[in-house]
Amino acid sequence: MHPLLFVHLIAVGLWAGCIATEVVLELTEGQRPPLDSRLAPLHAWVDRAVELPAIAMAALTGGALLHHSPIATDPLLQAKVGLGASAVPLNLAAAFTVQRRYQAWLRQDLAAYAHAHLWHERIGVGCVLTLVSALLLGGWRLTGALAAG
């Protein structure tokens, strides 16, 4: 396995793990009243400390891998790259709403909290769908490539 691919897979795994952690946080802590919940500060911390660096590493290594890949002749790779590339800005937008929600939580501004939370839920669906789809296509392509080679 190419070392750059290995680093890319680690970064994507960290990113996916962050999303899974955040889904659990949203489902468990999101049921509590906002000011009593630790959702906003925990999610904001996960984004800043782990998820955003993992996204940056996944995007950089993914872009670098394109120089070594047959993207022009591989429709499966084209779909995977398109989905992964779509997941990056969606996740950055979601991280923005998470930070806005955290700022509202600090100010104890329930209206701003609810607004940011609603936008995060809407954008978050796209994040999950695009990243999971890219992971599935990447895994399918990788296992097919391993079986063939």
Side-chain angles (χ1 to χ4, degrees), residues 82-120:
L83 288 163
S86 298
V88 172
L90 281 169
N91 219 289
L92 294 177
F96 176 77
T97 63
V98 166
Q99 297 309 312
R100 295 298 296 237
R101 180 174 63 183
Y102 177 56
Q103 292 166 357
W105 181 82
L106 289 173
R107 292 189 315 270
Q108 298 186 354
D109 182 347
L110 290 176
Y113 184 98
H115 182 74
H117 185 73
L118 177 64
W119 275 103
H120 179 263

Side-chain angles (χ1 to χ4, degrees), residues 3-113:
L4 193 58
L5 177 59
F6 180 75
V7 173
H8 181 70
L9 294 174
I10 295 295
V12 170
L14 280 171
W15 182 8
C18 285
I19 288 182
T21 300
E22 292 165 352
V23 167
V24 171
L25 279 174
E26 294 284 340
L27 292 175
T28 58
E29 286 292 311
Q31 303 305 314
R32 300 175 62 197
L35 298 180
D36 296 337
S37 171
R38 300 289 299 157
L39 172 62
L42 287 172
H43 195 158
W45 182 84
V46 169
D47 275 5
R48 286 191 307 258
V50 185
E51 188 173 19
L52 291 174
I55 291 170
M57 185 58 69
L60 290 171
T61 56
L65 283 168
L66 288 176
H67 294 291
H68 305 289
S69 300
I71 191 161
T73 59
D74 187 344
L76 190 60
L77 182 59
Q78 292 170 358
K80 179 214 160 301
V81 169
L83 288 163
S86 298
V88 172
L90 281 169
N91 219 289
L92 294 177
F96 176 77
T97 63
V98 166
Q99 297 309 312
R100 295 298 296 237
R101 180 174 63 183
Y102 177 56
Q103 292 166 357
W105 181 82
L106 289 173
R107 292 189 315 270
Q108 298 186 354
D109 182 347
L110 290 176
Y113 184 98

